[in-house]
Amino acid sequence: MSDPSVLATFSGAMADIVARAAPAVVSVHSRRSRASGFVWKAGLVVTADEALAEEGEVIVRFADGTERPATIAGRDHTTDIALLRVETSNIAPTKLSSAVPALGSLALVVAAERGVPAAALGLISLVGGTWRSLRGGDIDARIELDVRLRPSHEGGLALNGSGDAIGMAVLGARRVLVIPAATIARVASRLETHGRIARGYLGLGLQPVKLDDGIGAMVMSVDKAGPSAAAGIRQGDVIVGWNDEKISGVRALLRALGPDSVGATVDVAVRRGGEPVRVKLTVGERPET
């Protein structure tokens, strides 16, 4: 027969983890939308971008019941990270851990329901390397949770069995994902400084096309005010290389247009009427839409 004290000890340990994390976890209310978030730095709260309304006022409710207005410091749709400015008083910010949890280990999500702390227990169901979201964001590790997550708990803290905050829990397609600490640190820091995440811009409409020796990206349209037009790229050109490397299609080309690409000058290999052409192009910054 199992020792009941073992279960009591385990239960107490989980409750202690939740109690330590809960003071920094908040509810985020925006136009007919409720989510969770956490104090990332003094005066700054991280929440899930997808759960944040596009317009209207934002109210943050803290664990003590206090409500304060917040402003959006920045948001990045591609990584599902939004940053809010709000008075956080004496609440200690969450200390995020860059450790990637082991597959099958315990995981806790600490969220908030109308300001009241809430928790859910589950397992780390999948662990993988870096990946790119459907919206083109670079995520530093693939972490999935086998846990039930209410929509209003999206943006809550994901913790490992030791109580370390490993990231933010969000709703993915038929699964619960963790936006890891490394991604939050990288993206939220840029949002704090610049208010947005810059993305590279070519000013081209592209379509994949099969070639005898691989796949290219055919130029279907050109923004006359964009960087490609300034470099001399024309409608009907087929892009086949990027900095002396063959491209494997349109997606591969778009993957090269991360934040660090803005302002970089690249050597683009083009086929124009079947003839090779080399173009020097300075990557622009994607306009806000």
Side-chain angles (χ1 to χ4, degrees):
M1 187 174 180
S2 61
D3 185 351
S5 65
V6 174
L7 184 57
T9 300
F10 172 76
S11 178
M14 295 296 101
D16 286 344
I17 289 173
V18 173
R20 290 197 302 270
V25 178
V26 301
S27 285
V28 179
H29 297 187
S30 60
R31 193 177 183 182
R32 296 192 302 275
S33 177
R34 287 186 173 85
S36 297
F38 58 91
V39 178
W40 176 62
K41 287 183 179 180
L44 293 169
V45 163
V46 167
T47 187
D49 174 75
E50 190 174 29
L52 190 64
E54 292 293 333
E55 58 184 13
E57 67 175 3
V58 180
I59 300 294
V60 171
R61 180 180 290 180
F62 296 87
D64 63 359
T66 304
E67 289 188 354
R68 298 189 181 98
T71 58
I72 299 174
R75 58 196 307 173
D76 179 35
H77 299 303
T78 71
T79 56
D80 205 6
I81 295 171
L83 190 65
L84 306 176
R85 294 192 187 277
V86 61
E87 173 56 50
T88 57
S89 298
N90 297 320
I91 299 173
T94 299
K95 184 178 180 180
L96 293 173
S97 170
S98 59
V100 176
L103 179 66
S105 59
L106 287 175
L108 277 163
V109 174
V110 180
E113 186 68 41
R114 299 178 183 270
V116 178
L121 177 65
L123 293 175
I124 304 294
S125 59
L126 188 148
V127 176
T130 58
W131 60 288
R132 183 171 288 258
S133 73
L134 292 175
R135 293 182 174 179
D138 294 317
I139 314 295
D140 291 77
R142 180 88 183 191
I143 304 171
E144 295 184 11
L145 303 181
D146 183 11
V147 65
R148 182 172 178 265
L149 189 72
R150 296 180 182 178
S152 58
H153 296 175
E154 188 171 18
L157 278 175
L159 302 103
N160 63 19
S162 299
D164 300 322
I166 58 173
M168 176 175 66
V170 299
L171 291 168
R174 299 181 298 278
R175 68 202 71 194
V176 177
L177 301 168
V178 175
I179 305 300
T183 305
I184 294 172
R186 171 169 50 83
V187 173
S189 295
R190 286 180 181 260
L191 293 177
E192 180 185 9
T193 304
H194 303 293
R196 63 189 296 263
I197 302 297
R199 303 286 172 185
Y201 180 64
L202 299 179
L204 296 175
L206 300 170
Q207 178 176 307
V209 58
K210 289 185 178 180
L211 304 171
D212 292 339
D213 55 351
I215 298 176
M218 177 173 283
V219 177
M220 306 302 292
S221 62
V222 181
D223 176 1
K224 294 181 180 180
S228 294
I233 292 180
R234 307 172 186 172
Q235 186 176 5
D237 286 350
V238 178
I239 298 175
V240 295
W242 183 272
N243 278 343
D244 297 323
E245 293 186 6
K246 285 186 176 182
I247 68 167
S248 57
V250 174
R251 288 186 179 181
L253 188 58
L254 296 179
R255 279 197 293 270
L257 299 176
D260 295 333
S261 70
V262 178
T265 299
V266 295
D267 185 21
V268 182
V270 171
R271 290 186 187 172
R272 179 174 295 160
E275 297 298 321
V277 176
R278 308 291 289 196
V279 175
K280 289 287 186 182
L281 184 153
T282 300
V283 178
E285 183 175 338
R286 181 175 293 279
E288 291 190 67
T289 56

